[in-house]
Amino acid sequence: MTHTFDEDTAPTPNPTLAHALIAAPLEDGAGWTPARQATFLQALASTHSVANAARVAGMSRQSAYALRARLKGEPFDHAWTAALRCRFDALAEAAMERALNGVEVPHYHRGELIGTSRKYDERLTVALLMMRDSFRLPHARQHDVAARYGSDDFGRLVERVEAGPETWDEQDRQERIALYEEYARDAAAAEAEGDADEGDHDSDEEE
């Protein structure tokens, strides 16, 4: 089963996660399957909590960190960074709203509300945007497979984690094999076509 995402929309908190946090069993022995990794990443983007996301996936927080350490620089690690980044997008949007429109502050005198005013503070917005920029993927060489994915490609990265091999090198190897096999098929077809044309030419000469 493949998860699909709208790449233009940052994940929002899922109301069913509260039930999942209670219902999900821990460490059933199946380990971190690709489907579980995708579930964890989706929950991480929604909750911004490693412990909660791991529980949704039916795994422990410690094993999630261990998996990321083992796959440092690989698709799962990149998707983890992108999950945190897209969650900051939602937080930054709310903070920007507060910065632009202010927060209504009530004023009381002797226990009675006598009026309100608006307080504007852009420091929170600036701080959030600076934190968001810290969640960037490491630079990849232009021709590396990893270079096809950016910090904002959370949906594509999750799909890559679930459907592709565990490492970038393995994906590159598989793609090279597939390309070689395609070239071999094309060469065989061209050779067969050439042999057929030569046979037809010999028949014409005999006639």
Side-chain angles (χ1 to χ4, degrees), residues 78-159:
H78 284 199
W80 184 313
T81 299
L84 297 178
R85 183 180 175 88
C86 68
R87 182 58 179 155
F88 263 102
D89 287 343
L91 294 173
E93 182 177 350
M96 185 69 73
E97 177 73 17
R98 291 165 65 92
L100 293 176
N101 300 320
V103 179
E104 191 173 51
V105 180
H107 298 282
Y108 294 90
H109 179 68
R110 294 183 178 178
E112 293 186 7
L113 179 65
I114 60 173
T116 62
S117 63
R118 287 200 169 271
K119 180 179 180 181
Y120 296 87
D121 187 353
E122 297 183 0
R123 289 176 298 177
L124 176 60
T125 302
V126 172
L128 282 172
L129 292 177
M130 290 180 65
M131 291 180 68
R132 179 186 186 273
D133 287 340
S134 69
F135 291 104
R136 290 184 178 276
L137 299 182
H139 178 72
R141 291 175 299 181
Q142 182 178 357
H143 299 294
D144 287 352
V145 177
R148 302 174 190 172
Y149 301 85
S151 301
D152 296 318
D153 292 332
F154 173 69
R156 292 179 58 232
L157 280 165
V158 174
E159 291 173 359

Side-chain angles (χ1 to χ4, degrees), residues 26-90:
L26 287 176
E27 304 286 1
D28 62 2
W32 280 100
T33 63
R36 269 194 170 151
Q37 293 178 36
T39 297
F40 167 84
L41 292 165
Q42 187 180 13
L44 181 62
S46 181
T47 67
H48 217 187
S49 167
V50 174
N52 288 347
R55 183 170 292 277
V56 170
M59 302 297 286
S60 69
R61 170 178 169 274
Q62 292 82 356
S63 68
Y65 280 114
L67 179 66
R68 189 185 192 189
R70 182 173 69 82
L71 296 178
K72 183 175 177 58
E74 302 297 350
F76 178 77
D77 180 35
H78 284 199
W80 184 313
T81 299
L84 297 178
R85 183 180 175 88
C86 68
R87 182 58 179 155
F88 263 102
D89 287 343

